[in-house]
């Protein structure tokens, strides 16, 4: 599929608008009234008070494209998918729809709007631990939609749990969606999340819990849905690109960086990997600093 960043953003927001969501603007990258973080790291972050039960003026179904900065990923920047500054497409249910509807929305968007074939698709669910049980419910919903058991991996908290964004607040198990990006090799029958050809593109978080200041995980008063799709990586894989730097969100920046640094990368005389990585890092950091 050939799709621009603008088209992808638009497709996502229109889809969720049709499903009764109000589109809200991207909040500031500097959090207001949240001393637990330096930057807005996820679409849910400006929504924390509403995830904790305060009424949002725009209702119980929201969606947006949120600008985010994640310094936690800074050492990964320069690989194919990590960035410090990125845009997150997200939809939220504030005590409105639950797990089943959230997964069905994701599935419909992935298969009908983005037309991702199931051969290239896999998911992961929470394996369960002392804080929360194994998420068989999500796996069953995926199976009912046609995802084979072999393409559903159960992973621990490290991979399939999200939040809180700061030290305390809403959190819960999640289900992550992966796309097989390799165009010259078919995706294996069995999903191995360690295989780098599987790129995580979307995360549906089931915010059923709250982490207290004492570090306890307790049931949340209101159950919410929080999802986040990485605009840059989804754009890259849909367009058959190897990495996020080959998308329209980066090509003008990397070209300018090369031009200013006097670096010429040719098809028959490519730049060294170190050079390429440096160009990527400088481009990412300039973008993050500018925003
Ligand atoms: N908060 C989750 C994430 O950042 C989903 O939006 O991945």
């Amino acid at each position: 599929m050939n799709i621009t960043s603008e088209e992808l953003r638009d497709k996502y927001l229109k889809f969720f608008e049709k499903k009764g969501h109000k589109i809200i603007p991207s909040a500031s990258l500097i959090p207001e009234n949240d001393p637990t973080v330096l930057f807005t790291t996820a679409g849910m972050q400006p929504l924390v008070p509403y995830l904790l039960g305060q009424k949002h003026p725009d209702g119980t179904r929201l969606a947006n494209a949120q600008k985010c900065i994640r310094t936690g990923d800074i050492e990964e920047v320069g690989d194919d998918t990590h960035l410090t500054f990125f845009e997150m497409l997200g939809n939220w249910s504030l005590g409105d729809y639950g797990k089943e509807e959230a997964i069905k929305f994701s599935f419909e968007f992935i298969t009908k709007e983005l037309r991702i074939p199931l051969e290239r698709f896999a998911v992961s669910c929470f394996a369960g631990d002392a804080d929360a049980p194994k998420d068989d419910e999500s796996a069953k919903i995926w199976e009912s939609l046609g995802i084979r058991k072999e393409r559903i991996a159960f992973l621990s908290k490290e991979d399939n749990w999200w939040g809180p964004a700061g030290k305390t607040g809403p959190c819960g198990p999640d289900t992550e969606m992966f796309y097989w990006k390799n165009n010259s090799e078919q995706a294996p029958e069995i999903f191995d999340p360690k295989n780098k050809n599987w790129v995580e593109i979307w995360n549906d978080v089931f915010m059923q819990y709250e982490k207290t200041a004492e570090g306890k995980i307790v049931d949340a008063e209101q159950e919410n849905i929080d999802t986040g799709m990485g605009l840059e990586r989804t754009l890259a894989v849909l367009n058959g690109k190897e990495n996020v730097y080959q998308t329209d969100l980066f090509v003008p920046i990397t070209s300018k960086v090369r031009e200013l640094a006097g670096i010429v990368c040719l098809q028959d005389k490519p730049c060294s990997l170190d050079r390429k990585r440096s160009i990527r890092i400088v481009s990412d950091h300039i973008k993050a600093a500018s925003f």
Side-chain angles (χ1 to χ4, degrees), residues 86-254:
F86 65 99
E87 286 177 72
M88 186 183 281
L89 301 169
N91 58 285
W92 294 276
S93 151
L94 304 173
D96 188 314
Y97 55 85
K99 206 174 253 189
E100 181 157 1
E101 211 167 343
I103 293 180
K104 285 185 172 164
F105 283 158
S106 294
F107 185 77
E108 187 182 335
F109 187 72
I110 292 237
T111 54
K112 300 258 158 56
E113 298 286 327
L114 302 184
R115 282 180 258 134
I116 290 178
L118 291 193
E119 304 90 78
R120 282 183 180 253
F121 187 64
V123 300
S124 64
C125 300
F126 181 53
D129 66 9
D131 287 328
K134 183 178 179 198
D135 192 7
D136 280 321
E137 198 190 337
S138 291
K140 291 238 158 63
I141 299 167
W142 284 119
E143 277 180 59
S144 78
L145 294 169
I147 308 299
R148 281 179 291 107
K149 272 195 168 65
E150 299 76 36
R151 287 287 177 84
I152 304 174
F154 284 93
L155 304 175
S156 69
K157 218 181 218 133
E158 218 168 278
D159 297 289
N160 278 96
W161 184 274
W162 207 86
K167 284 208 162 60
T168 59
C171 56
D174 62 33
T175 183
E176 298 193 341
M177 291 153 259
F178 295 80
Y179 179 93
W180 178 261
K181 74 164 183 180
N182 191 324
N183 292 320
S184 41
E185 226 178 82
Q186 267 211 323
E189 290 288 301
I190 301 174
F191 170 44
D192 172 9
K194 286 203 193 75
N195 185 324
K196 292 273 183 252
N197 286 302
W198 289 108
V199 179
E200 186 218 327
I201 54 170
W202 202 355
N203 185 12
D204 287 0
V205 186
F206 311 117
M207 297 204 145
Q208 302 160 245
Y209 303 98
E210 206 185 310
K211 191 168 183 184
T212 66
E214 294 77 43
K216 279 214 188 79
I217 304 285
V218 298
D219 284 341
E221 265 177 42
Q222 171 182 297
E223 285 191 21
N224 308 294
I225 300 294
D226 155 42
T227 94
M229 171 183 269
L231 175 71
E232 293 79 356
R233 6 174 121 176
T234 307
L235 187 66
V237 297
L238 287 177
N239 284 295
K241 304 288 185 200
E242 266 295 298
N243 59 70
V244 293
Y245 300 93
Q246 291 172 349
T247 65
D248 66 28
L249 290 165
F250 270 100
V251 168
I253 307 176
T254 51

